[in-house]
Amino acid sequence: MRDAAVAQAPRITPKVSSEDWIMRAVLVGIALYLTVSILLPLYAILSKSFKNADGLFVGLANYVNFFSTPALFWSIENSLTVTLICCVIVVTLAFIYAYALTRTCIPFKSLFKGVALLPILMPSLLPAIALVYLFGNQGIIKDWLFGYEIYGPIGIVMGECFYVFPHVLTIMLIAMANSDARLYEASDALGASKIKTFFTVTLPSVRYGLVSAFFVCFTLVITDFGVPKVVGGKYNVLATDIYKQVVGRQDFEMGAVVSMVLLLPALFAFAADRIVQRRQVALLSARAVPYQPKKNRVVDTAMLAFCCLIGLILVSILGMACFASFAKFWPYDLSLSLKHYNFDLMDGGSWNAYWNSIELAAWTAVIGTAMVFTGAYLVEKSKGFHSGRAAMQLLCMIPMAVPGLVLGLAYVFFFNAPNNPLGFLYHTMPILVICTVTHFYTVAHLTAATALKQLDGEFESVSQSLKVPFYKTFFRITVPVCMPAILDISMYLFVNAMTTVSAVVFLYSPDTALASVAILNMDDAGDVAPAAAMGMMIVGTAAAVRLVHAGLTRGILARTQAWRKR
Amino acid sequence: MANDNNGEAYLRVRNLTKKFGEFTALKNVSLDVSEGEFVCFLGPSGCGKTTLLRAIAGLDIQTMGTVEQAGRDISALPPNERDFGIVFQSYALFPNLSVTRNIGYGLENRNMPKADIAARVSDLLDLVGLRDHATKYPSQLSGGQQQRVALARALATSPGLLLLDEPLSALDAKVRVHLRHEIKELQEKIGITTIMVTHDQEEALAMADRIVVMNHGVIEQVGSPEDIYADPASPFVADFIGTTNFVDGEVQAGGRVSVAGVAIDCGAALDGLNPGDMVTVCIRPEDVQVSTEGGGAGIPVTITDVEFLGSFHRCHVMPVNGAGQTFGKDIDFMIDLSAGRARDLGIREGMAVQAALPPEFVRIYRPVGGG
Ligand SMILES: Nc1ncnc2c1ncn2[C@@H]1O[C@H](COP(=O)(O)OP(=O)(O)O)[C@@H](O)[C@H]1O
Ligand SMILES: [Mg+2]
């Protein structure tokens, strides 16, 4: 019988071609990079939290110390309080704003959308500084707080709401845009009232978006450092505690402990969000019909008023910072001057810092985009080597779960360790680039993976059958077709490298001072107006980069529309 | 099964097994393809056709078993060390390259002088009739034109073997029939050994020199279209290709089978069966012979329904025996009559006729699932 022969037949071991080896080598290279730039530092900070100042293992002693010091563990409660308040406020406001932009017939939708995205262009320090000008001791509308102080939870909540609004809004817009018009028609046909339709159709259809928005907001607020640093006053939160322990008291072990405490909720929110997102994908795969809003005088007017109000608040906070940076001597001499832009005369600031930031952002954009896109390509398109690709996929997700401050401190412990051969990187521009690329790796990776998934899965097979090496097809087909996504990724990395404070605040040296850190230091030194001025430089640069990006994207789409149109 | 004795085979597949985890997609498949032959893998969706094709291409290498091409063992080689051109169901045309550059893609990497590449691409453009569209991008072409670009790209490097995975299934019916002929003519003209995957029996019958009928990861039958149609090796093949009546029968002594209470001569087809065995009797609707004079050979039936299907009539019939005889549970027995024959017989609903099952057209199988 033949079956007997089957049992004996040897298994075939596919020959691994030289191209496969190249792919695997590059994939392993990027995986090694991520291991060195995130896993090992995380291990370093974790082990630091179990050691004393002399490097001896002390078990949970540091944690016991943390939880028996009320001043420290109350920060947990403070952090959670302001974070949850922010989540409720921002998710509600962003939901209504997104509803107005997608489900009503208000005019100027793209203007409102643009205005809402403004906060993305600045470090969170800047809105906090603007709040000081508005509500601080010499603030122009400090009476509006009815005698309460801006320094403390009120200021933190206001600043964070401003800072996270665009991130939450983006998620809500995606969730709303994908709702199915057919459900609304059905609801109409059944004679359901507007209110009832809202609760039976609108809310359920965006429930995953709402949950996801909540977790993103939670993570951003609890890990943000810029706002509480400027307007936190004596109200301690976890993020500022890490900074104070390390920079103020030089207590690195306690800094590590607080970092671990901060990592926990961030990890939890991250995991929960991933689970929710997976469900949302399943929800969307059904063929939906896009919803076309109908005119409704009352709703449209109310929504327009709401959007105008939110837009006005957003613009006036940025406007305040802008004005403060030009006012000669707040609040006594409000004539305009450029003197606060003379950073070289200030304590903690310099034009050098600005140019360093540009350099950091450019390197981050170039190196980060190349690495992220190549990595995503190999994960998505290479054949075989399943364990390697799965491990890489996991590695790519870790950076998102790690707060910037924790990452930065982890780098201090890892790269500054006396026996680390990579120690020469410490206090250099490369370490800032490595840290920033890693910090923003996950979102960039997901963008690249999404774009790559839309390509025909057989391009690689065809090119193999034609004996064209994969890298030629990569450069001639994959990269040009994905160019819009590649531009998106590089802009995302550039803007974030310009605005980030949290990770790099532990890593810069006098030679590699950065603009965002300069804001922090000048604010600390009492040079608040120059701090605002530096913030405006970042805003202007980020806005210019966005414009260039929009122009490039439009140009590429126009030039290639012959083959892009469907 | 496969024609093992063929020493001249260009492609030789032996005992191929492919597992996806626990699931076995191909079980011990063996097959020979001669040089210049056009072979179709035919079978229902999910039966393993694409898996077999991709194993031959080296895109998803088999778990066990060997593949030889032109006398070379290529079982473990990656695709770029094999010699084939392939067209996918999606065509996988490069969207950012013009028709010309798509077709020339495989040539540009071979140190060929630019002029030679241009000449070769130009020949191919003529071959597939796309000269007027040379500078367009894939998205500016119709489905049929895209398909021909993919074909030209696969042929450009003059591979020894052409693999086509459902190349026509993304097209609408009319274009499909037209392209069927074009592909077949092209293949005959260049004489390239070709394997095409399809789930459309008409396509396979019209195009293939030889058809490989597959089901559940095994080859059910290999043969010319005529053989497979006239002499299906299993009830599955009989059912999958063309239309067949399956009726219950019981073996009787003397090489006869009783169907609906009437004994039919079957002779040698019953070798190895004993009287009393239950069998499945198959006959194609057009092979049933109908006569109107009562008392003749055959099963007396009543026509319950007549469908007019253009060139022929399809009659659905029931036995009229008094003893409550049937063809079997829920069996719809069909007879096809040419329009002329139906007119001669005056076929109409409710009419009683004799349906004879000529032994040369009758096939006997052990009951499906039993035996
Ligand atoms: N990569 C894979 N992983 C797991 N199962 C697969 C994979 N590819 C195919 N299969 C399974 O193998 C069987 C045969 O698939 P395929 O060869 O694509 O069928 P078809 O005859 O329609 O081309 C199917 O049941 C399919 O689900
Ligand atoms: Mg298939």
Side-chain angles (χ1 to χ4, degrees):
Chain A
M1 274 299 287
R2 224 166 242 250
D3 287 0
V6 183
Q8 259 96 59
R11 286 184 88 88
I12 296 289
T13 315
K15 180 182 164 193
V16 182
S17 69
S18 53
E19 285 188 29
D20 290 333
W21 283 122
I22 299 176
M23 287 186 156
R24 290 176 192 191
V26 177
L27 192 67
V28 168
I30 297 177
L32 274 181
Y33 165 85
L34 283 171
T35 307
V36 170
S37 71
I38 187 113
L39 276 191
L40 297 183
L42 279 182
Y43 174 76
I45 194 171
L46 179 66
S47 65
K48 192 78 172 178
S49 72
F50 294 112
K51 288 178 184 164
N52 68 9
D54 298 327
L56 295 173
F57 183 79
V58 291
L60 288 172
N62 293 328
Y63 289 87
V64 170
N65 191 0
F66 174 86
F67 284 104
S68 54
T69 313
L72 287 175
F73 77 76
W74 276 347
S75 297
I76 299 179
E77 195 187 323
N78 289 350
S79 269
L80 287 176
T81 309
V82 289
T83 302
L84 290 176
I85 294 173
C86 281
C87 285
V88 171
I89 295 175
V90 174
V91 172
T92 311
L93 293 181
F95 176 82
I96 301 174
Y97 205 88
Y99 184 90
L101 289 183
T102 54
R103 303 294 168 79
T104 68
C105 293
I106 61 166
F108 314 122
K109 280 184 183 169
S110 47
L111 176 70
F112 282 122
K113 198 170 159 195
V115 166
L117 295 182
L118 278 178
I120 285 186
L121 304 176
M122 58 192 86
S124 57
L125 292 159
L126 190 62
I129 289 174
L131 286 178
V132 171
Y133 279 102
L134 287 168
F135 301 104
N137 295 333
Q138 296 172 329
I140 44 178
I141 48 173
K142 81 183 256 225
D143 301 343
W144 292 22
L145 291 182
F146 303 110
Y148 289 99
E149 234 200 352
I150 188 73
Y151 298 101
I154 297 178
I156 297 179
V157 167
M158 287 166 80
E160 298 290 10
C161 286
F162 175 89
Y163 163 61
V164 299
F165 186 74
H167 301 274
V168 176
L169 178 69
T170 308
I171 296 171
M172 291 314 317
L173 282 175
I174 293 170
M176 294 258 184
N178 285 316
S179 298
D180 194 340
R182 292 171 302 179
L183 294 175
Y184 290 84
E185 279 156 20
S187 184
D188 263 0
L190 293 173
S193 69
K194 278 259 171 250
I195 307 273
K196 187 159 182 200
T197 305
F198 179 82
F199 281 103
T200 55
V201 180
T202 310
L203 266 187
S205 72
V206 298
R207 63 185 184 279
Y208 292 127
L210 278 173
V211 176
S212 185
F214 178 87
F215 285 122
V216 165
C217 182
F218 181 91
T219 313
L220 283 172
V221 174
I222 204 164
T223 61
D224 179 54
F225 156 74
V227 173
K229 177 76 189 67
V230 175
V231 293
K234 294 195 194 66
Y235 193 81
N236 288 339
V237 294
L238 290 170
T240 44
D241 276 357
I242 298 179
Y243 184 76
K244 280 180 196 157
Q245 291 298 330
V246 172
V247 174
R249 306 188 49 214
Q250 299 281 312
D251 187 344
F252 292 99
E253 291 68 33
M254 191 50 77
V257 170
V258 185
S259 293
M260 289 299 118
V261 174
L262 181 61
L263 187 58
L264 271 186
L267 272 179
F268 165 76
F270 168 79
D273 182 47
R274 294 308 304 169
I275 293 168
V276 172
Q277 295 244 328
R278 209 159 288 166
R279 296 217 181 152
Q280 169 136 21
V281 170
L283 195 72
L284 290 180
S285 39
R287 261 258 159 275
V289 180
Y291 178 79
Q292 289 295 335
K294 291 190 205 64
K295 275 197 188 319
N296 179 326
R297 199 66 174 277
V298 180
V299 174
D300 289 352
T301 315
M303 285 299 170
L304 183 62
F306 174 82
C307 288
C308 285
L309 180 66
I310 298 285
L312 192 69
I313 294 174
L314 294 172
V315 169
S316 47
I317 288 182
L318 179 63
M320 186 66 246
C322 183
F323 181 71
S325 78
F326 289 115
K328 212 174 230 163
F329 188 39
W330 180 273
Y332 309 106
D333 179 358
L334 296 183
S335 59
L336 302 183
S337 89
L338 282 174
K339 75 170 209 190
H340 300 306
Y341 285 79
N342 207 345
F343 301 123
D344 291 338
L345 300 181
M346 314 294 165
D347 269 356
S350 68
W351 273 101
N352 239 352
Y354 174 75
W355 296 118
N356 281 340
S357 266
I358 298 275
E359 192 187 339
L360 168 66
W363 281 118
T364 303
V366 172
I367 296 176
T369 305
M371 182 153 59
V372 166
F373 192 77
T374 309
Y377 171 82
L378 293 174
V379 168
E380 293 295 326
K381 306 284 178 183
S382 65
K383 294 251 160 69
F385 198 43
H386 296 286
S387 49
R389 282 155 66 201
M392 175 72 182
Q393 200 133 31
L394 198 64
L395 275 174
C396 291
M397 298 312 295
I398 296 175
M400 182 128 107
V402 180
L405 279 174
V406 178
L407 186 69
L409 191 53
Y411 272 41
V412 174
F413 296 142
F414 179 67
F415 286 99
N416 202 25
N419 49 3
N420 188 337
L422 295 171
F424 67 90
L425 289 171
Y426 197 64
H427 276 167
T428 62
M429 180 56 82
I431 201 176
L432 293 174
V433 176
I434 292 172
C435 177
T436 312
V437 168
T438 306
H439 188 179
F440 299 106
Y441 200 98
T442 305
V443 172
H445 173 81
L446 292 175
T447 309
T450 307
L452 286 164
K453 281 199 175 87
Q454 285 162 2
L455 299 188
D456 193 306
E458 306 294 3
F459 284 168
E460 283 68 31
S461 306
V462 167
S463 103
Q464 275 187 305
S465 80
L466 295 174
K467 302 186 174 30
V468 177
F470 80 92
Y471 45 85
K472 286 209 173 156
T473 303
F474 176 75
F475 286 116
R476 285 194 48 195
I477 313 294
T478 314
V479 168
V481 174
C482 291
M483 197 40 92
I486 291 175
L487 286 179
D488 285 351
I489 293 168
S490 48
M491 183 207 56
Y492 168 83
L493 290 175
F494 190 99
V495 170
N496 276 293
M498 283 301 289
T499 58
T500 188
V501 191
S502 55
V504 292
V505 75
F506 296 124
L507 297 175
Y508 71 95
S509 70
D511 287 341
T512 56
L514 297 172
S516 52
V517 180
I519 302 178
L520 177 84
N521 290 340
M522 290 192 283
D523 178 69
D524 253 358
D527 290 333
V528 186
M534 187 62 97
M536 289 316 296
M537 286 307 301
I538 292 179
V539 173
T541 310
V545 166
R546 276 196 90 103
L547 285 179
V548 170
H549 166 262
L552 275 180
T553 304
R554 186 167 298 188
I556 282 179
L557 291 182
R559 211 153 41 76
T560 58
Q561 69 163 349
W563 54 267
R564 275 189 202 277
K565 74 159 199 272
R566 285 273 145 211
Chain B
M1 256 210 138
N3 33 353
D4 283 3
N5 49 359
N6 185 351
E8 309 295 307
Y10 176 71
L11 186 75
R12 190 189 276 269
V13 175
R14 285 293 172 275
N15 304 327
L16 208 79
T17 295
K18 174 72 183 178
K19 292 186 177 164
F20 292 110
E22 289 295 292
F23 176 71
T24 308
L26 289 176
K27 293 177 205 122
N28 200 28
V29 168
S30 295
L31 174 73
D32 282 342
V33 178
S34 314
E35 185 138 24
E37 208 179 7
F38 193 123
V39 169
C40 273
F41 294 171
L42 176 64
S45 152
C47 72
K49 308 179 295 286
T50 299
T51 307
L52 181 53
L53 195 79
R54 291 179 74 88
I56 292 171
L59 292 167
D60 275 311
I61 290 180
Q62 68 277 12
T63 318
M64 284 175 275
T66 57
V67 182
E68 274 175 37
Q69 184 179 356
R72 190 165 72 115
D73 185 350
I74 56 169
S75 309
L77 297 185
N80 55 5
E81 293 178 34
R82 302 187 183 203
D83 177 25
F84 69 96
I86 190 164
V87 174
F88 292 100
Q89 193 169 355
S90 63
Y91 312 143
L93 294 177
F94 303 126
N96 59 329
L97 302 185
S98 66
V99 168
T100 308
R101 309 273 319 265
N102 259 290
I103 295 176
Y105 195 78
L107 300 171
E108 290 171 20
N109 197 46
R110 315 201 156 192
N111 294 328
M112 239 167 117
K114 277 220 159 69
D116 292 4
I117 295 181
R120 173 80 180 134
V121 171
S122 170
D123 287 351
L124 286 159
L125 281 170
D126 286 335
L127 190 69
V128 296
L130 287 174
R131 173 152 299 287
D132 298 342
H133 304 282
T135 57
K136 288 188 179 168
Y137 290 104
S139 64
Q140 295 165 324
L141 301 178
S142 72
Q145 289 165 338
Q146 291 182 13
Q147 202 273 339
R148 281 181 282 177
V149 177
L151 195 59
R153 182 179 63 183
L155 291 172
T157 53
S158 308
L161 177 65
L162 179 62
L163 304 176
L164 310 167
D165 190 354
E166 311 239 5
L168 301 173
S169 65
L171 305 169
D172 49 36
K174 230 179 180 164
V175 184
R176 201 148 65 199
V177 172
H178 175 68
L179 273 179
R180 228 189 245 173
H181 294 292
E182 264 190 30
I183 293 181
K184 179 68 186 160
E185 263 173 38
L186 200 74
Q187 188 267 338
E188 277 169 357
K189 195 153 120 196
I190 11 184
I192 185 174
T193 313
T194 302
I195 299 176
M196 182 175 100
V197 162
T198 179
H199 64 266
D200 180 343
Q201 44 135 338
E202 247 183 71
E203 214 166 273
L205 291 172
M207 296 173 78
D209 297 328
R210 230 148 39 98
I211 296 179
V212 176
V213 186
M214 299 178 61
N215 191 26
H216 294 312
V218 299
I219 293 182
E220 292 265 344
Q221 187 173 6
V222 181
S224 70
E226 295 77 14
D227 281 351
I228 288 195
Y229 190 84
D231 195 7
S234 65
F236 169 79
V237 178
D239 192 29
F240 191 73
I241 295 179
T243 310
T244 301
N245 292 304
F246 290 89
V247 298
D248 295 345
E250 185 181 343
V251 178
Q252 294 185 333
R256 288 148 78 87
V257 170
S258 143
V259 172
V262 176
I264 303 165
D265 266 318
C266 290
L270 294 178
D271 286 354
L273 290 164
N274 301 316
D277 285 354
M278 297 306 295
V279 292
T280 298
V281 177
C282 286
I283 186 159
R284 297 211 181 264
E286 68 267 28
D287 292 335
V288 180
Q289 284 177 0
V290 174
S291 55
T292 42
E293 62 265 27
I299 307 159
V301 295
T302 314
I303 299 175
T304 55
D305 190 20
V306 181
E307 279 176 88
F308 175 59
L309 295 172
S311 58
F312 66 94
H313 289 69
R314 174 161 290 173
C315 310
H316 301 264
V317 303
M318 298 247 288
V320 288
N321 307 38
Q325 295 286 355
T326 63
F327 286 121
K329 195 168 179 296
D330 294 333
I331 283 173
D332 175 21
F333 195 89
M334 293 170 288
I335 304 173
D336 289 352
L337 295 171
S338 71
R341 177 80 179 139
R343 197 178 333 109
D344 293 347
L345 292 172
I347 291 299
R348 64 196 143 69
E349 269 174 42
M351 193 175 169
V353 294
Q354 299 287 118
L357 315 186
E360 65 269 34
F361 295 126
V362 169
R363 316 205 56 76
I364 308 285
Y365 303 104
R366 286 156 189 275
V368 186

